[in-house]
Amino acid sequence: MRRFLEVIEELALKDLPLLGGLFTWSGGLNGLSRSRLDRFLISEDWENHFRGAIQCSLPRPVSDHFPILLDGGGTRRGPIPFRFENMWLKDEGFKELLKGWWQGFNYSGSYSFILTKKLKAMKIKLKEWNSEVFGKVGVNKGLALDKVSYWDNQEQLRALNEQELEARKEAREEFKKWALMEETSWRQKSREIWLKEGDKNTGFFHKMVNSNRRRNCLKKIKVNGTWLSDDHDIQRRVVRAFKDLLSDPGGWRPCCNNIEFDRIGDEEATRLDESFSGDEVFLALSDLNG
């Protein structure tokens, strides 16, 4: 132990305080032996890059070790765009729910206008359903795991009756369901669709998502020989650059006076949104000449 502490000091590493407990392993006779065997060691540069990092212990459903989690606080990003989640399709009755919503939207106008309005209404409906009914996958998975742990702890104290055994079985099935949902979600985010679902590749998908985020993250930009790393400065410079590209600079431009351009009238423009008639389809096929 002394040598271990000396190595930590030589490498200038830091052991963050452990939240949620004082030890990460217990065993021995009647579980009286306890020790802090697991820990994250970080450098000063790493801590400066990920401010607010903490390590905490997690529940242990089967092992004699408490898993520990290093939370770096994440990266600051803008609003998350809407994405249709493939895991929703695994929820029983979801397709019928979608069909009912779609048929319940009534709009009048051109076909393109109706499609646009229905898609926008469907997006709002899906967001509400996901927030109020479906919930967060990680939270639902954790609740199911808590139920499994509860019945396992009860079994340590006494024999479970048939109803309690059935309740534990349902909790385990619920945990499997949300674990598969989580894997499906991370698979979609990772874009690694060549791997088969259900093979418990959630850890790999998670790593690929983090890799994509690091690659797509704009941490700093160089403007006129100066590097900018502050989020506000980067946003301001990017907005200014696009304003310069897309705004009217004024000054001289070629004159188009007295030049005639072909254009269609209002009546012809309205006809572009009309549906094709049977006669028009027949004539178009006839003109293909076999």
Side-chain angles (χ1 to χ4, degrees):
M1 185 64 181
R2 180 180 299 176
R3 178 54 184 162
F4 175 71
L5 296 176
E6 291 177 354
V7 171
I8 294 178
E9 186 176 355
E10 290 175 4
L11 298 177
L13 297 177
K14 181 180 179 180
D15 182 15
L16 295 173
L18 180 66
L19 302 181
L22 300 176
F23 57 91
T24 61
W25 171 86
S26 64
L29 183 61
N30 297 326
L32 296 179
S33 299
R34 300 177 179 183
S35 178
R36 172 81 186 280
L37 298 180
D38 310 283
R39 68 191 70 221
F40 286 101
L41 301 176
I42 64 174
S43 64
E44 183 178 356
D45 291 339
W46 193 94
E47 186 178 17
N48 291 334
H49 187 70
F50 297 95
R51 292 190 176 276
I54 59 173
Q55 60 176 330
C56 55
S57 61
L58 303 177
R60 52 172 188 179
V62 292
S63 175
D64 56 356
H65 283 257
F66 286 95
I68 57 175
L69 171 70
L70 179 64
D71 188 354
T75 57
R76 288 171 291 178
R77 298 184 296 272
I80 300 176
F82 173 80
R83 178 190 292 109
F84 185 93
E85 294 284 354
N86 294 337
M87 63 179 175
W88 293 339
L89 297 172
K90 299 184 181 296
D91 191 61
E92 186 176 356
F94 177 71
K95 293 182 180 179
E96 290 73 17
L97 197 62
L98 278 181
K99 183 177 179 181
W101 288 339
W102 187 263
Q103 294 176 346
F105 299 142
N106 295 314
Y107 300 99
S108 59
S110 64
Y111 293 121
S112 58
F113 173 79
I114 294 175
L115 177 61
T116 302
K117 295 294 289 184
K118 280 196 170 187
L119 288 175
K120 184 178 294 186
M122 181 64 76
K123 181 176 71 171
I124 296 174
K125 203 73 175 177
L126 281 171
K127 283 184 175 181
E128 293 176 351
W129 173 81
N130 181 64
S131 176
E132 298 174 2
V133 181
F134 191 80
K136 294 183 178 181
V137 178
V139 174
N140 294 334
K141 178 184 173 184
L143 292 174
L145 181 59
D146 290 341
K147 292 180 182 178
V148 175
S149 300
Y150 171 78
W151 291 118
D152 287 342
N153 292 334
Q154 290 298 311
E155 191 178 37
Q156 298 290 335
L157 303 175
R158 57 182 174 83
L160 301 180
N161 58 39
E162 292 185 4
Q163 293 181 344
E164 292 172 336
L165 289 173
E166 185 64 25
R168 184 175 67 174
K169 181 180 178 181
E170 292 178 359
R172 287 178 174 176
E173 292 299 323
E174 189 76 5
F175 175 77
K176 291 179 182 179
K177 168 192 170 182
W178 290 112
L180 179 60
M181 294 279 194
E182 183 183 52
E183 181 185 357
T184 304
S185 177
W186 283 112
R187 178 176 184 265
Q188 179 181 357
K189 294 175 183 177
S190 70
R191 305 187 188 97
E192 302 296 326
I193 58 176
W194 55 273
L195 274 175
K196 184 179 179 181
E197 281 185 11
D199 285 348
K200 295 181 175 58
N201 295 304
T202 305
F204 172 76
F205 294 144
H206 199 170
K207 291 178 182 178
M208 293 307 300
V209 171
N210 289 335
S211 175
N212 293 334
R213 286 176 178 172
R214 285 193 296 268
R215 184 171 60 250
N216 296 331
C217 180
L218 185 64
K219 296 182 179 179
K220 59 181 180 179
I221 60 174
K222 191 175 185 179
V223 180
N224 298 328
T226 303
W227 284 102
L228 302 176
S229 58
D230 182 73
D231 289 352
H232 179 71
D233 291 338
I234 293 177
Q235 293 173 5
R236 183 165 49 84
R237 290 289 185 173
V238 170
V239 171
R240 180 186 298 178
F242 277 96
K243 279 186 176 179
D244 293 341
L245 288 174
L246 303 176
S247 60
D248 184 4
W252 180 88
R253 61 173 56 190
C255 180
C256 298
N257 294 335
N258 301 323
I259 299 180
E260 294 291 336
F261 294 97
D262 293 335
R263 59 182 180 179
I264 62 176
D266 294 338
E267 183 178 352
E268 293 173 307
T270 303
R271 289 187 58 195
L272 292 177
D273 284 333
E274 294 180 355
S275 59
F276 294 106
S277 65
D279 293 337
E280 288 178 306
V281 176
F282 179 77
L283 289 175
L285 294 174
S286 301
D287 291 341
L288 293 177
N289 199 18

